Amino acid sequence: VQLQASGGGMVQAGGSLRLSCAASGDTFSKYAMGWFRQAPGKEREFVAGFSRSGGRAYYADSVKGRFTISRENARNTVNLQMDSLKPEDTAVYYCAADRGIILSSIGNWNQYAYRGQGTQVTVSS
């Protein structure tokens, strides 16, 4: 499975961006999907994700109510709609996928077998 994240850019605080992660190489609907981010000098952190069943979305507390994750199985794509962006959302954003990850590990980057290159998001104040 190959993952390609896109949609990053520069935006002012309060603005919006929509990230997309396109997957290729397997049936997308079989995979749990996650978005992570890493800011300069900080550890990579979980942002949002879907379990393999896709029935429920999970969010980090820092983005709840502002970010929305969605998946389009027919297009092999998972999206991250980011609204009310803050300067502290500035980071490189990564997507990841795994078929066998258990729910309790959905927020653990190292548990994902497939991890894409990131896309830069910069939020100015």
Side-chain angles (χ1 to χ4, degrees), residues 26 29 56 65 85 110 122:
D26 199 351
S29 60
R56 178 182 172 183
L85 282 161
N110 292 322
T122 302

Side-chain angles (χ1 to χ4, degrees), residues 22-74:
S24 61
D26 199 351
T27 304
F28 179 72
S29 60
K30 299 178 182 179
Y31 287 77
M33 300 294 297
W35 281 100
F36 293 79
R37 67 186 181 186
Q38 187 167 21
K42 295 187 177 181
E43 293 186 355
R44 187 172 281 129
E45 63 177 356
F46 173 76
V47 175
F50 275 120
S51 63
R52 190 170 60 177
S53 68
R56 178 182 172 183
Y58 299 85
Y59 297 93
D61 288 342
S62 58
V63 306
K64 280 181 182 177
R66 300 188 298 120
F67 290 13
T68 304
I69 189 172
S70 61
R71 63 192 300 165
E72 301 176 63
N73 287 338

